[in-house]
Amino acid sequence: MTDVVDCIVVGAGVVGLAVAARLAAEGVEVVVLERHGLIGSETSSRNSEVIHAGIYYPTGSAKARLCVRGKQLLYEHCAKYAVPFRRCGKVIVATSEAQRPVVDGYIEQARRNGVTDLSWIDRGQLHELEPEVLGVGAALSPSTGIIDSHAYMLSLQGMLEANGGLLALNSPVTQIEAGPTLMVHTPQMSLGARWVINAGGLSAPELAANVPGAPQAYYAIGHYYTYSGAQPFGRLVYPTAQDGGLGVHVTLDLGGQVKFGPDVRWIDSVDYTFDDSRRPEFVEAIKAYYPGLDEERLQPGYTGIRPKIAPAGVAADFVIQTPADHGVAGRINLLGIESPGLTSSLAIAEAVSEITGYSAGKVGTLG
């Protein structure tokens, strides 16, 4: 390992690995520093594993642009590198006529975002597709899918290492020191870099705190329940969205196991404890569109925490903070990369590569 490398990526979640793999494939000398003993052990392994279509996000927002582009890149990546996935589709259910305009709005918003394959299906069509789902109709999104997120991250790690990149686990970053050469410090070593990409997820705001304009970190925990026995759904089932998230919805894994979740509960610090005390609220939310729910088959699964950069009630976009934003050469901070971060990961990597100039062959420049 040299004393100064082209690029250090902080965080080996799905976004950090995607960025590192992209840069390494372009001939950049990359080192990834991960504080845990394995890749993707926080947000990247505690989510719905959904490939999102790009439906809900404001027109022109980073979430909209990067989700739509990322979906295309991700499906191509899965096919090329044999990452397990399934384009199962999803329905967004209107449980009453009062919700019909909301769902119609999703279809129109998707169209504005460049997603043109959504369509309204009526009660009969919904029943034919998903007999257990109650609603007056739904938006059908055929390009929504599911992915084996761990296999995806392993494919990115393989790309990184095949192109000469290095991954250092159990290497928490304690300080990023500004200067003509950025210095990144861990308890084990100090390493210089021309570029430092902060993909720290839940810790990204803390790692960005020494540059102007860094936001505060906020945390919203979501609980997932699994459903035992025969599985009643063939595709993802979503209600209309709620503040802070997309509502308690049905997701599937590649084995067909149904998960319900996540809810949204704002917390003060990172704590993955599963709180079963609000089960009745969870059950009520599910029964709005799945009245046949057998509560005895609902089992606590796991929790995940959204890396928010705005408090409850305030919608925040992805933030890709560059030297042009904060004035610190060589620093890129990836902030508030919550859902649809997994779907957007390869598009975020593409954007970072363009910012650094490496995609244009300008290796070693600070931009």
Side-chain angles (χ1 to χ4, degrees):
M1 182 182 296
T2 59
D3 292 332
V4 178
V5 298
D6 291 326
C7 182
I8 293 173
V9 176
V10 182
V14 66
V15 172
L17 288 170
V19 170
R22 169 74 184 235
L23 292 172
E26 292 171 349
V28 180
E29 187 180 19
V30 183
V31 174
V32 181
L33 301 177
E34 166 56 49
R35 66 177 177 175
H36 295 295
L38 67 164
I39 63 172
S41 61
E42 292 188 347
T43 308
S44 297
S45 61
R46 293 173 171 271
N47 56 62
S48 300
E49 295 188 302
V50 171
I51 301 176
H52 289 283
I55 297 169
Y56 306 92
Y57 318 111
T59 307
S61 66
K63 284 185 176 180
R65 291 184 291 101
L66 295 169
C67 181
V68 173
R69 173 62 176 160
K71 174 184 65 175
Q72 174 191 343
L73 294 173
L74 187 52
Y75 277 130
E76 291 172 358
H77 179 97
C78 288
K80 182 176 180 179
Y81 294 99
V83 175
F85 76 100
R86 181 155 62 92
R87 201 184 301 242
C88 58
K90 82 172 179 181
V91 290
I92 310 172
V93 180
T95 58
S96 66
E97 288 295 341
Q99 289 185 353
R100 170 71 189 267
V102 177
V103 177
D104 285 341
Y106 294 152
I107 296 172
E108 176 58 24
Q109 185 58 42
R111 186 193 62 77
R112 293 193 193 101
N113 291 345
V115 183
T116 59
D117 60 354
L118 265 72
S119 61
W120 171 261
I121 57 175
D122 61 25
R123 187 192 304 268
Q125 293 168 310
L126 175 61
H127 180 75
E128 184 176 348
L129 290 178
E130 294 293 342
E132 297 294 329
V133 175
L134 176 67
V136 299
L140 175 63
S141 172
S143 66
T144 301
I146 54 177
I147 185 173
D148 182 332
S149 59
H150 188 66
Y152 172 47
M153 287 188 284
L154 287 175
S155 76
L156 295 171
Q157 181 182 351
M159 289 176 61
L160 167 70
E161 293 174 341
N163 287 291
L166 298 176
L167 170 63
L169 300 173
N170 297 307
S171 299
V173 172
T174 57
Q175 184 185 6
I176 303 172
E177 187 179 349
T181 298
L182 296 167
M183 293 299 300
V184 179
H185 304 284
T186 77
Q188 300 90 355
M189 64 178 177
S190 295
L191 183 63
R194 297 175 178 87
W195 284 92
V196 175
I197 316 300
N198 170 13
L202 295 170
S203 301
E206 179 183 353
L207 291 169
N210 63 342
V211 300
Q216 180 179 341
Y218 298 88
Y219 309 111
I221 192 170
H223 295 69
Y224 291 86
Y225 286 83
T226 59
Y227 202 54
S228 61
Q231 303 301 301
F233 309 106
R235 54 189 49 77
L236 312 184
V237 181
Y238 280 56
T240 56
Q242 300 175 354
D243 177 45
L246 298 181
V248 175
H249 51 259
V250 174
T251 58
L252 309 171
D253 64 23
L254 290 163
Q257 171 70 56
V258 164
K259 298 175 288 186
F260 292 100
D263 58 353
V264 179
R265 309 184 198 179
W266 292 85
I267 55 178
D268 295 327
S269 60
V270 175
D271 182 354
Y272 292 105
T273 302
F274 196 104
D275 177 10
D276 196 33
S277 66
R278 298 189 192 177
R279 175 187 285 256
E281 297 173 26
F282 223 99
V283 168
E284 182 182 5
I286 297 168
K287 284 190 172 181
Y289 58 85
Y290 176 39
L293 176 75
D294 180 351
E295 298 178 36
E296 297 300 317
R297 294 167 56 189
L298 203 62
Q299 305 296 327
Y302 60 95
T303 62
I305 298 175
R306 304 168 180 87
K308 298 281 191 179
I309 53 172
V314 179
D317 200 2
F318 291 160
V319 173
I320 301 179
Q321 194 183 54
T322 73
D325 300 313
H326 52 59
V328 181
R331 289 284 301 270
I332 298 177
N333 295 310
L334 306 178
L335 303 164
I337 312 297
E338 53 173 331
S339 180
L342 187 156
T343 306
S344 305
S345 55
L346 293 173
I348 293 171
E350 187 176 65
V352 168
S353 178
E354 291 172 358
I355 293 165
T356 61
Y358 289 141
S359 62
K362 302 174 184 176
V363 175
T365 64
L366 291 178

